[in-house]
Amino acid sequence: MFFDNLKTIAIQVLILCIMAGVGFVTDKTGIFKQSDGKRAIDLLFYIILPIAIVHTFITMEYSAEHIKGIFIAFVCAFATHIFGALISLLTFRKRSLKERGLYHYAMILSNAAFVALPMAKSVIGSEGIFYCSVYVAVFNMVAFTYGIYEMSGRETKLDLKKLILNPGTIPVIIGLPLFFLQPKLPYFIEYPMELIGNCNSPLAMIIFGTFLANSNFKNMFAKKEIYVVSLVRLIVIPLSMLGIFYLFGVRGNILTAMIISASAPAATNTAMYAAKYGNDPALGSETAAQTSVLSVITMPVIVALATVVA
């Protein structure tokens, strides 16, 4: 069963890689470059992704299992980020606060929106988006608070308002009551939401490909520190959480969705936040790129293992 699941998931990863390859090629040929991708991120992050999340909550079947699943997903997502933060505190203690903060950011925060959501949709279906949306909300709560605090070298104060007022949490806040109310939207509203939401996976991967096209592959594989980040981000955290979740009785699609989210590479915005908060954007790009390349190997194995124990 493990190898059957590994084959299935590897094919899904290959599909995502092909979409990212389109972005890689369009950047190299000048058709759609990283600068265009950066502008498109706002469209993806503030419009397409929220619509996809809200649409999933509206169309998801109302059941006691899904209500319980939402709560479990929140607990699992918070537990994963807390565990990652605690593990990160043991690393790079002799580095400057900013360099340490960048590595910690990359360890704690996975590419949940760009990689985990598309993969969860491919492996699990709409239920995967449903549970991963909760993880994305928690990701944003951490990224806009503790993540910025670390990335800035602990110079930026924690802004607790951003726990709620961020583009990843707001659509979940909107979607939850709609899930409980189960409104029947008119076709001319619901169908456009579905079409726009379907743009999330291909556009996210194409944008992701433009960032890979501008990464310094020589540097990303030359720095031993980045290998430590990849080890923690891609292996230590997801395998530890798989064991912890299993011991606490988490099973089924929710376990798979949480492990997909936990095993994703470092967040793409590691480089963008590094530039925005006075850190090293080149190092951020190299770190995100190495974890992304290596995740092509690690994610199928870990997710296949999760599907077996689920």
Side-chain angles (χ1 to χ4, degrees), residues 59 74 138 187 192 252 269:
T59 56
F74 267 113
V138 175
Y187 177 77
N269 63 12

Side-chain angles (χ1 to χ4, degrees), residues 74-235:
F74 267 113
V75 173
C76 289
F78 273 114
T80 302
H81 286 90
I82 292 170
F83 181 83
L86 293 174
I87 289 292
S88 72
L89 292 176
L90 302 176
T91 63
F92 304 110
R93 292 182 173 183
K94 295 182 180 181
R95 303 289 177 171
S96 68
L97 283 176
K98 286 201 171 180
E99 184 180 0
R100 184 196 315 171
L102 188 151
Y103 290 140
H104 287 180
Y105 186 98
M107 287 180 183
I108 300 166
L109 294 154
S110 72
N111 202 342
F114 279 20
V115 175
L117 268 178
M119 188 170 180
K121 182 178 181 180
S122 299
V123 176
I124 307 172
S126 59
E127 198 169 50
I129 299 178
F130 184 65
Y131 292 132
C132 277
S133 296
V134 175
Y135 192 98
V136 170
V138 175
F139 162 90
N140 279 281
M141 294 171 75
V142 177
F144 279 95
T145 52
Y146 185 73
I148 291 174
Y149 172 72
E150 284 283 0
M151 184 64 79
S152 66
R154 303 184 179 180
E155 294 175 0
T156 302
K157 294 181 180 179
L158 295 173
D159 187 353
L160 297 182
K161 290 186 297 183
K162 290 185 177 179
L163 285 171
I164 303 298
L165 300 178
N166 68 71
T169 304
I170 290 174
V172 174
I173 293 174
I174 294 172
L176 275 173
L178 294 175
F179 165 69
F180 287 110
L181 294 172
Q182 293 285 293
K184 184 64 177 177
L185 295 182
Y187 177 77
F188 65 86
I189 293 178
E190 192 271 332
Y191 188 55
M193 291 181 68
E194 179 183 351
L195 292 177
I196 293 172
N198 287 340
C199 295
N200 180 65
S201 295
L203 182 58
M205 297 312 299
I206 289 171
I207 293 172
F208 185 57
T210 67
F211 279 84
L212 286 179
N214 288 273
S215 300
N216 189 320
F217 285 85
K218 182 179 179 180
N219 283 350
M220 80 166 77
F221 289 109
K223 296 178 180 178
K224 61 182 181 180
E225 294 85 359
I226 302 180
Y227 286 99
V228 175
V229 175
S230 293
L231 176 65
V232 174
R233 170 70 264 145
L234 301 176
I235 298 176

